[in-house]
Amino acid sequence: MPGFRGTVEEWIDGRLYMLKTPIGRLRAIGIIEGFSYLLLLGIAMPLKYFAGLPLAVKIVGSIHGALFLLFCMALIQATLKARWSIVRTCIIFASSLVPFGTFVIDERLKQEDQVLCTIT
């Protein structure tokens, strides 16, 4: 928790609050999906091709696939709630296809979520 000043309980409450909004859920799933993508590309695939362990890709790939579907569902929900344009939605979707992409868009989504929370 670098840079956080407060108790562990306050930090956890802040993380749980993120799950209460559609954009917050999109961010949370995006972060988890992004890590699973990096595990797939950085660990499981090298294990398959360099160490002859295809089971790693089967396991991590299945988990990543399920998380990707959750990301797509959360993206649809956030798009409808925030009334994003098709272009914006496609940019966010495309970011999930690029390694580190979900981490890059996370800060912008956080700002937008905060703005929407203060409006409603």
Side-chain angles (χ1 to χ4, degrees), residues 12-116:
I12 291 171
D13 287 344
R15 297 291 141 297
L16 293 177
Y17 179 77
M18 181 168 75
L19 298 176
K20 293 183 179 182
T21 65
I23 296 175
R25 286 188 292 273
L26 176 65
R27 289 182 54 224
I29 295 168
I31 290 168
I32 297 167
E33 188 267 344
F35 277 117
S36 75
Y37 193 32
L38 294 177
L39 284 173
L40 180 64
L41 294 177
I43 295 174
M45 291 191 68
L47 283 174
K48 177 180 180 178
Y49 292 108
F50 299 124
L53 297 170
L55 186 60
V57 169
K58 190 173 283 191
I59 293 170
V60 177
S62 296
I63 293 168
H64 172 68
L67 289 168
F68 182 74
L69 290 176
L70 284 174
F71 180 84
C72 291
M73 291 188 304
L75 178 58
I76 291 168
Q77 185 184 33
T79 297
L80 296 174
K81 179 71 175 175
R83 298 179 185 217
W84 287 335
S85 69
I86 190 71
V87 172
R88 176 139 176 81
T89 303
C90 288
I91 289 170
I92 295 170
F93 177 77
S95 75
S96 72
L97 303 175
V98 178
F100 299 101
T102 55
F103 306 118
V104 171
I105 64 162
D106 183 63
E107 186 60 34
R108 179 68 180 120
L109 290 176
K110 180 180 178 182
Q111 293 169 359
E112 192 165 337
D113 194 25
Q114 290 171 344
V115 168
L116 282 176

